[in-house]
Amino acid sequence: MNIIDLTNDVCPLALVKFKLALKQQQNGNLCVLLSDTGSKQDVPAFLKKKGYCYESVSIKGVLRLTIFL
């Protein structure tokens, strides 16, 4: 599983970086860490819109999304 830490990035940059990482991921699971309020809303919304299966967990203000590819 690849882990992408985007906790230091804000939207829209975090969403752009996430989309690039997702495009490069061929198979397996991808884990992304988000802390920006906008990113924590936009990335899950993007995943829902595109029909991805994912799991989300929020710990101490950081949202961890695991995307199952």
Side-chain angles (χ1 to χ4, degrees), residues 55-66:
E55 174 182 87
S56 64
V57 177
S58 184
I59 302 170
K60 295 183 181 180
V62 174
L63 180 64
R64 183 186 78 199
L65 297 171
T66 303

Side-chain angles (χ1 to χ4, degrees), residues 8-55:
N8 292 322
D9 297 311
V10 297
C11 245
L13 182 59
L15 181 60
V16 171
K17 285 183 175 183
F18 170 73
K19 287 180 179 180
L20 289 172
L22 187 61
K23 188 181 283 188
Q24 292 175 350
Q25 184 77 19
Q26 297 297 317
N27 53 25
N29 298 336
L30 177 64
C31 180
V32 62
L33 305 173
L34 304 163
S35 61
D36 173 59
T37 302
S39 301
K40 291 192 288 187
Q41 295 173 356
D42 292 348
V43 173
F46 168 79
L47 290 169
K48 285 180 190 174
K49 181 179 176 183
K50 295 296 183 178
Y52 284 97
C53 181
Y54 68 94
E55 174 182 87

